[in-house]
Amino acid sequence: MIPPSPLRLRIDLDALAANWRQLRALAGVDTGAAVKANGYGLGAKAVTDRLYVEGCRTVYVSNWQEAAALAGRAPDLRVKVLHGIDAADLPAALSIDADPVLGSPEQVALWRAHGQGRRCDIMVDTGMNRLGFDWRGFCTEMFAGMDVDTVHSHLACADTPEHPLNGLQRDRFEEVVVALGIRGALANTAGIFLGLDYAFGHVRPGIGLYGGSAGLHQVVFPTARVIQCRDVPAGDAAGYGATWTAPRDSRLAVLNLGYADGYLRGFSNTGAALVGGKRAPVVGRVSMDMIIIDITDTHAVAPGDWVDIPYNLAEAAAQSGISEYELLTGLGARYERVYT
Ligand SMILES: *Cc1c(COP(=O)(O)O)cnc(C)c1O
C-alpha cells in the first residue's frame, strides 16, 4: 500500500474555466489553450477535459509524446504540436490524431512526403527568431495543395506593451495572413491583453488560464504537512547557512515542502505559509525537501497538520524572483493533485 502524499496541490478547475472564458471574452475570437508541459504542471488531461466542456476545441502541446496523451479524448478536439515534426516522430505521429505546426521547409517536405495529405498548421517567425518560417522570405506557394488550417506567429515582447516589436510583429503577421487567406493566430495570454488588433481569428492563451498575469483567478493551491515544531531561543539560527537568526524567543514549524517540489531557493526568508489565516514567514533557507516557518504569532500547529502555502502567482513571482512559468511548471510530481 502506498502511503498518502504529505503535500497536495488543490487545482480549482472552475477558476481555470473562468479564466478561459474571461480571456475568450477579451479576445472576442475562437480561443484555444496551451496545455504543453503537462498543462503547465497542473495535469494536461484534467485541464483539457474541463476546458473542452467550456467549448475549447483546440489545445497546444510541444511534442508528439504530449500529443499522444491527449489525442482522441473528444471527437472534435484538435491537438496541435507546436514543435512540428521530424523524421524520428513520423512513424508514431501518423497514428496520432494531432496536427503538426510546421515551421521550416524541411518539415513541410517531410509532411508532404509522408503526411498522407493530413491537415497541418504553419508557424511564421515575425521577429522572435525562435520557431517558424522567416517572414521575410515567406511565400504562399510553398504550401500549395496542402491542407493548412491555421497560420501562427508568436510575440516576443507581449508582456511589455510599449515595446515597438509588438506592432512590427503584428503588421508583418497581418501581411502573411492576408496573403494566405486562412485563419491567423498570434496572441498568447499577454498578446490578448494588447487588444483586439492582436486577436486575428484565434488565440492561444496559456499562463493566464492557470492564474498567471495579474487579474485572473488563482487556480493552484499548494498545501504541505507539518513534520515537527520546535521552540527556539532568541539568538539561535535556523536552516542551511544560518541565514536567519531568531530576533526573539520563537516557535518554528518544519513543513514537508522544498525545492524538489518547486518551492525554490528564491522563497528563502521571503515566502510564507498561512496558518489560521495569518502569515507565517519562511525563515532561513529553503531545503531540498523542507521549509521552516515562524508560527510564533499564529495559531499553534502540530505534526500532521496541513498548512496552506499562498501561491498567488504574481506575488509569488515577486517574492521569489522566479517567473510565473517556472513556478507552475516546476511544481513537480510529489504533490497529490486534487481537482475541485
Ligand atoms: C506557450 C505558448 C503559448 C502560450 O503562452 P502564454 O504566455 O503561456 O500565454 C502560445 N503560443 C505559443 C507558440 C507558445 O509556445
Side-chain angles (χ1 to χ4, degrees):
M1 190 176 137
I2 301 172
S5 172
L7 50 164
R8 285 190 198 138
L9 213 51
R10 185 169 72 77
I11 295 167
D12 184 343
L13 293 175
D14 288 342
L16 171 88
N19 290 339
W20 186 81
R21 290 193 304 262
Q22 196 171 329
L23 290 165
R24 183 182 59 177
L26 258 179
V29 296
D30 183 62
T31 299
V35 300
K36 61 201 184 195
N38 195 26
Y40 288 47
L42 278 64
K45 287 179 184 166
V47 167
T48 298
D49 291 351
R50 184 65 172 90
L51 294 182
Y52 183 84
V53 172
E54 297 300 316
C56 177
R57 292 292 177 270
T58 311
V59 293
Y60 296 89
V61 295
S62 286
N63 60 50
W64 289 90
Q65 285 213 330
E66 293 180 346
L70 295 178
R73 285 189 82 75
D76 52 350
L77 176 71
R78 290 189 180 183
V79 179
K80 310 245 185 197
V81 183
L82 289 165
H83 295 188
I85 183 113
D86 71 16
D89 296 323
L90 255 182
L94 292 175
S95 69
I96 297 169
D97 182 17
D99 309 337
V101 181
L102 305 175
S104 68
E106 294 78 10
Q107 292 194 359
V108 165
L110 208 58
W111 200 242
R112 270 191 190 284
H114 304 285
Q116 301 165 352
R118 258 172 53 181
R119 187 176 55 215
C120 60
D121 281 5
I122 55 179
M123 173 69 72
V124 178
D125 191 281
T126 51
M128 184 174 187
N129 284 305
R130 195 175 64 174
L131 286 182
F133 295 91
D134 193 292
W135 62 281
R136 279 165 290 229
F138 188 79
C139 77
T140 58
E141 288 78 57
M142 293 184 60
F143 312 100
M146 297 180 81
D147 181 6
V148 183
D149 177 53
T150 304
V151 57
H152 300 269
S153 189
H154 193 55
L155 295 163
C157 304
D159 51 8
T160 312
E162 66 279 10
H163 200 292
L165 190 52
N166 291 323
L168 277 176
Q169 285 195 267
R170 203 214 76 89
D171 294 346
R172 291 167 184 169
F173 186 59
E174 184 162 45
E175 277 187 32
V176 169
V177 173
V178 168
L180 279 167
I182 62 172
R183 182 170 88 153
L186 175 64
N188 61 347
T189 303
I192 292 172
F193 285 108
L194 290 179
L196 295 175
D197 278 0
Y198 288 78
F200 289 87
H202 177 76
V203 290
R204 307 179 305 263
I207 192 80
L209 303 172
Y210 310 110
S213 291
L216 296 158
H217 303 284
Q218 184 175 340
V219 176
V220 175
F221 298 85
T223 58
R225 233 161 48 188
V226 176
I227 308 172
Q228 186 175 359
C229 298
R230 62 197 311 123
D231 291 310
V232 172
D236 258 29
Y240 283 124
T243 62
W244 179 84
T245 302
R248 56 177 175 168
D249 292 349
S250 304
R251 182 145 178 91
L252 306 183
V254 181
L255 303 186
N256 222 315
L257 171 77
Y259 58 76
D261 310 301
Y263 203 79
L264 303 174
R265 280 279 186 111
F267 288 107
S268 300
N269 290 307
T270 64
L274 270 185
V275 179
K278 264 191 116 175
R279 206 181 122 86
V282 171
V283 297
R285 205 176 268 168
V286 175
S287 303
M288 183 160 153
D289 297 315
M290 284 174 270
I291 57 172
I292 306 169
I293 59 171
D294 182 348
I295 54 168
T296 317
D297 296 329
T298 72
H299 287 299
V301 291
D305 286 353
W306 288 90
V307 170
D308 292 326
I309 310 297
Y311 217 67
N312 173 289
L313 282 176
E315 282 169 25
Q319 268 168 8
S320 62
I322 297 157
S323 76
E324 295 179 346
Y325 298 88
E326 293 164 282
L327 288 174
L328 279 182
T329 55
L331 282 167
R334 289 202 293 194
Y335 293 91
E336 179 191 351
R337 283 162 170 75
V338 180
Y339 298 95
T340 58

